[in-house]
Amino acid sequence: MKLTDREKILAFASLCLLVLTVSYYHYRLKAAGAEEPSFVIENGDVAKSDFKETQPAEEEGIGSAIYVDIGGAVKNPGLYELEKGARVKDGITAAGGIVGNADTSQINLAKKLNDEEKLYIPKAGEQAPVVATGGPSPAQTGPVSIQNGSKEDLMRLPGIGEKTADKIIEYRTAHPFTALEDLKEVPGIGEKTFESLKNNIQL
């Protein structure tokens, strides 16, 4: 049977349409099959990113220190930097240890020290200062040592300002106090001032 030209054209067109249809469905199936691996890879990337973000938190470190003013019957009174959690015993060791006339029976050697605390080791016959909170006065904290007290300690005394405190420290450096009355030798401190101080001071 011989096909006419028209029939040949229609057959060719039908064949082309069939090829296009098969190619289209093959492409759709291939594209649909590629989605699953792509989704798995994306999930893997997210999990990896989350791990990187949480890792630095595990590397954080904590370090701190406290500063304590140590005075009284210790070899080297002064301001000391101690590790957080240090106890009274550690503070005394940092200050060179106690001197021979120290009275440690009034001190709790196991007590933990706090930042900005004043640690005073009383001598024999002295009363250990009772440290209060919220702007303590000399009467609340106990007698101030004119020989070992810091500038801030001296300035808590009634009538003693910054300049007079500096004069006391300058005088005792050259002439250590041996009696409370020696305080009257400091320029600016007369009999009247001494009388107002004598109940709040000690050697």
Side-chain angles (χ1 to χ4, degrees):
M1 179 178 178
K2 188 177 181 180
L3 297 176
T4 64
D5 292 340
R6 180 181 176 83
E7 290 175 338
K8 289 180 180 180
I9 292 173
L10 289 174
F12 179 77
S14 298
L15 180 61
C16 290
L17 182 61
L18 178 62
V19 171
L20 289 174
T21 301
V22 172
S23 299
Y24 174 75
Y25 280 103
H26 177 74
Y27 173 81
R28 287 291 303 272
L29 290 173
K30 184 178 181 180
E35 287 180 0
E36 185 173 354
S38 177
F39 178 77
V40 172
I41 292 173
E42 286 182 8
N43 283 346
D45 288 342
V46 172
K48 186 177 181 181
S49 176
D50 290 343
F51 175 76
K52 287 182 178 179
E53 290 178 0
T54 57
Q55 198 171 18
E58 299 174 359
E59 299 173 358
E60 293 180 357
I62 300 176
S64 57
I66 60 174
Y67 293 87
V68 181
D69 186 0
I70 305 174
V74 292
K75 291 182 180 179
N76 302 301
L79 181 65
Y80 288 89
E81 179 182 353
L82 303 172
E83 291 184 2
K84 187 175 181 180
R87 301 179 186 272
V88 169
K89 182 180 179 181
D90 300 321
I92 293 174
T93 301
I98 59 175
V99 295
N101 60 344
D103 181 7
T104 57
S105 64
Q106 303 181 57
I107 303 299
N108 181 3
L109 297 175
K111 176 184 176 296
K112 285 187 178 181
L113 295 168
N114 299 312
D115 190 34
E116 301 181 6
E117 183 174 345
K118 170 69 176 180
L119 172 61
Y120 184 82
I121 309 303
K123 299 175 184 178
E126 289 182 346
Q127 182 68 33
V130 179
V131 179
T133 57
S137 65
Q140 293 174 316
T141 58
V144 172
S145 171
I146 59 175
Q147 181 60 41
N148 297 311
S150 65
K151 181 177 179 179
E152 290 73 18
D153 293 333
L154 296 171
M155 289 175 62
R156 291 204 302 266
L157 293 168
I160 302 299
E162 183 176 358
K163 291 183 179 180
T164 304
D166 287 335
K167 290 179 181 179
I168 293 173
I169 294 173
E170 182 180 354
Y171 182 87
R172 77 188 185 191
T173 301
H175 310 282
F177 295 121
T178 58
L180 295 181
E181 287 74 14
D182 292 344
L183 189 62
K184 292 186 287 185
E185 301 298 325
V186 177
I189 299 181
E191 186 68 35
K192 185 176 180 180
T193 302
F194 176 76
E195 288 297 321
S196 67
L197 295 174
K198 66 179 183 179
N199 292 328
N200 295 318
I201 59 175
Q202 62 188 11
L203 284 178

